[in-house]
Amino acid sequence: MDCPDTCSWIVTVEDGKAVKMRGNPEQPYTRGALCVKVNRYLEHTQADDRILYPLRRTGPKGSGQFERITWEEAFDEIGTRLRSIVDEHGGEAIWPYVGTGSLGYIQGAEGVAGRRFWNMLGASKHWLNICATAGGAGLTLTNGTPAGMDPEDLALSRLILLWGTNTLTSGHHLWKFVQDARAAGAHVVAIDPIRTRTADQADQHLAIRPGTDAVLALGLLNVVLAEGAQDEEFLAEHTQGWESFRAEILEYPVERAAEITGIPAADIRELGMRIAHTRPTAIRATMGVQRHAGGGTALRTISAIPGVTGDWRHPGGGMAYSTSGHVHLDIDTRDDLLAKPVRTLTMTRLASELDSVKCLWVYAANPVGSTSDTNRIRRQLEREDLFTVVMEHFPTDTVDYADIVLPATMQTEHMDLHAGYGHLYLLWNEPAVAPPGECLSTAETFRRLAAHMGMTEPSLYDSDLELAEQLLSSGHPSLEGVTLDRLRKEGWVRMNYPRPFTPFADGFPTASGRLRFPPRGKAYVPPHSLRTAGDSPYPLTLVTPAAHTFLNTIFGNNPELRRRAKDPVVLVNPADAEARGLVSGQRVRVHNAGGEFLADVEVSDRVARGVVASPKGSWPKHNPGGANPNTVVAERDADMGRGPSYHDNLVEVSPCQLSDSL
Ligand SMILES: Nc1nc2c(c(=O)[nH]1)N[C@H]1C(S)=C(S)[C@@H](COP(=O)(O)OP(=O)(O)OC[C@H]3O[C@@H](n4cnc5c(=O)[nH]c(N)nc54)[C@H](O)[C@@H]3O)O[C@H]1N2
Ligand SMILES: Nc1nc2c(c(=O)[nH]1)N[C@H]1C(S)=C(S)[C@@H](COP(=O)(O)OP(=O)(O)OC[C@H]3O[C@@H](n4cnc5c(=O)[nH]c(N)nc54)[C@H](O)[C@@H]3O)O[C@H]1N2
Ligand SMILES: [Mo]
C-alpha cells in the first residue's frame, strides 16, 4: 500500500486459506510489527463485500447497480469501446488513471502495469502527482534530488525535528528509531498545526500556522547565524548562493517569524539554539507539510537548514523526506511502442481534465474518495459519453460510476516487487493463496485484454517473473548482488547503501555538485489560506491529514476500523466553537463555495484558533450527507509539481439543520 514503511509480512496458510499474518521479526525496519490497519488485512481480503466477478452497470451512473458478467463479455465490450474511441477521437481520449492503492512495481502504480498496453493504443499518459511532487520538486531545487538520509539513521541523531509528519499514524515503524535516539539522549520536536498523537509523544510541540514553515526555517536559521554556528567549511565547499540566502535569513528575526508562524518567539529562539549547538540534527519531513500553495518552497527552504549547519557530513544528520530517489529499478514502459508522442493528464486535475476524455480507466485509485473537488468529479463521471472501467477490490464510491468493473487481486494473491519510500529495502511479495472468485492481477488483466484485442507485440506478454528480472537489471550500483533469486529466497534485501549513510557528505547531485540555496525572494510562498483569509466568508483553515484507521480510502469499509474512526469528526478550537455556539458531539456542515461535508464537532485545543481538522480516508457513501472532506478541497495547484493543496482550504463550520443529516 501507499505507506513509507512497506512492511515485510509472513502469512500462514492452512488448507489453501490464509489464516494468520504477522510482521516479519527478522526484517530490520518492520521489526515484527504491523499496524492497526494491516493487522486486519487478512480479514479484509476475506470480507463479504469483496468484488469477485466482472460486473456491468445496470442502473444509472452513480447508482452502484450491476450485474455479473463473464471476463469474455467484459473484454468484448471493452475491446469494442476502446477501438471505437481510438477511431473517433484518437488514443489520447483514453485516460489510464492509476492511483496509489498498490505501489508494487509489477502490479501497481510504480511500475509498468498496463503502460505498454496503453502505448499500443496511444492513450494519454498519467501523471501521478497526487502525493509528494511539490515537496519533491522543492527538495530537488536545493539538493538535486528528493532523496536524503536513510530514516533508520535517525537513531544516531541528537536532535530530531518531526516536521509536518505524523509518524505514529502515517508510518509508525520509524518510531523505534526515534526511540533509540531518545534512549541516547536525543530531543524530539514535533512541528505541526495539530497536536497529533506524535506531538503528544514528542518532547516538545510547536503549533505552527499552516503553510508558514518556510518562515519558521528562516527564523531558526536567523538564530543559528546569531550564534555564529553556521558550518563555514561546508558552506564554502558544498553550497552555492550562500551570500544572498544569508541576506534573506537576516530579514527574518525571531519576532517576525513568530508573527507569521504563530509560534512564540521564545520557542523559536530556543529551538534555534538547539539546532545551532546540536550535531547531528535530523529533520524528518514528509508529505503533510507540502500540501499547501507554498508547499514546494517550504521543502526547498527547510532543506537549506542542514546545508547551513553542515549536518550532511555527520551520520544521523541531514533530512529525510522520501527514499524513492534511492531506488533505481529499470522501469521499461516501452514508450517506443507509441506511434506518436502523447499528452500527459494530471491526476490532481481530474475534475477539469476529464473534459476531453472519453474513456476513464481507473485502477488502484478511488478518485471520488481521494481526489480534490469531488462534486465536480461526480458531475463528470455522470456523463453518458464517458466510458468508465474500474479495476477494484471493493465497491467504492468510484466503482458506483463504472460501466464495467473488473475484480482485482489483493496483496496475498499476486506476485510483486516492492520498495518503500521510508527505507532502503526491496521486498518480494510471493502470492500466499489463490485469488478468490475470478479476480485477476493488474498485469494478468492487461495480458489477457491484449490477447483478446489481438495485439501481437511480444513485450505485452512478459510474465510477472520476467518483469521482475527486467526491473532488477538497471545495472545501478545500489542493486549489485540484488537478484530475483535472493529476493525470492530471503523475502527482502537491503539495497547497497552503506550504514550509516551520509549521501551528501561529499557533494550533491546537482549540476554544480553543490547544494543550491533559495535565491533572494524565493524562500517563502504564503499559503492560500493566509493570502485570502481577509476577504473570505470562510475564515477557518481546514487541514485533512492521514486517518489513524485508514490508508487513504483503503480499509474505509472495514467495519471495526470504521467503528474506531467514528463518524467524520472535525476538531474545532474552543474559541472558534464558542463564537459559533458549537459543542462537542454536535453535527455540523463544513462548507465553502466548492461544497460541504457533515461531521461531528470535537471541541479541542489540539488545533489552534482559526484551524480546523478532519481526516482523509472515509468513504463518502458511508458518511452522513454522502460526502467526505474532498468536497471542500479545491482543485488548486501548489507552487511546484502541480501538487494538491489538501491542507490549505478555507471553510466555515455551521450548525446542521436536522434535515441536513437525513
Ligand atoms: N494511517 C495512515 N497512514 C498513512 C496514510 C493514511 O491515510 N493513514 N497515508 C499514507 C500516504 S499516501 C502518505 S503520502 C503519507 C502521508 O503522511 P504524512 O506526511 O504524515 O501526511 P499528512 O497526514 O497529510 O500530514 C502530516 C502532518 O502534517 C501536518 N500539517 C499539515 N499542514 C501542515 C503545515 O503547514 N505545516 C506543518 N509543519 N505541518 C502540517 C498535519 O497536521 C499532519 O499531522 O502517509 C501514509 N501513511
Ligand atoms: N483530503 C485529502 N485527500 C487526500 C490526501 C489528503 O492528505 N487529504 N492525501 C492524498 C494522498 S497522499 C494520496 S497518495 C491519495 C491516494 O488516492 P488514491 O491513489 O485514489 O488511493 P485510495 O483512495 O487509497 O484508493 C486506492 C484504491 O485502490 C484499490 N487497490 C488497492 N490495491 C489494488 C490493486 O492491487 N489493484 C487494484 N486494481 N486496485 C487496488 C483499493 O481498494 C482502493 O479503493 O489521496 C490523496 N487524497
Ligand atoms: Mo500519499
Side-chain angles (χ1 to χ4, degrees), residues 2 131 169-170 191-193 211 213 286-288 292 546-547 550 552 647:
D2 186 349
C131 181
T169 283
S170 45
I191 303 169
D192 197 306
D213 301 86
T286 51
M287 289 82 213
H292 293 272
F550 307 135
N552 294 319
H647 305 333

Side-chain angles (χ1 to χ4, degrees), residues 2-4 37 100 131 163-166 169-171 191-194 196 208-213 286-289 291-292 421 543-552 616 647:
D2 186 349
C3 175
K37 314 172 290 306
T100 63
C131 181
W163 200 320
T165 185
N166 187 3
T169 283
S170 45
I191 303 169
D192 197 306
I194 308 176
T196 60
I208 191 166
R209 186 169 286 141
T212 62
D213 301 86
T286 51
M287 289 82 213
V289 67
R291 308 201 197 287
H292 293 272
Y421 56 96
V543 174
T544 61
H548 197 67
T549 48
F550 307 135
L551 196 290
N552 294 319
K616 67 172 169 178
H647 305 333

Side-chain angles (χ1 to χ4, degrees), residues 95-98 360-367 388-392 398:
W95 186 346
Y97 184 98
V98 57
L360 178 69
W361 188 295
V362 179
Y363 48 130
N366 183 10
T388 304
V389 178
V390 182
M391 297 161 81
E392 250 302 346
T398 304

Side-chain angles (χ1 to χ4, degrees), residues 71-80 82-83 114 117-118 121 361 387 389 391 406 440 442-455 460-461:
W71 273 102
E72 188 71 13
E73 288 169 305
F75 282 158
D76 276 344
E77 180 156 347
I78 287 168
T80 310
L82 288 180
R83 290 276 186 229
F117 172 84
W118 296 120
L121 294 178
W361 188 295
F387 178 58
V389 178
M391 297 161 81
L406 301 176
L440 294 182
T442 308
E444 183 61 15
T445 302
F446 285 110
R447 282 189 288 261
R448 293 198 192 181
L449 179 57
H452 192 92
M453 291 177 71
M455 294 178 182
L460 298 176
Y461 300 99

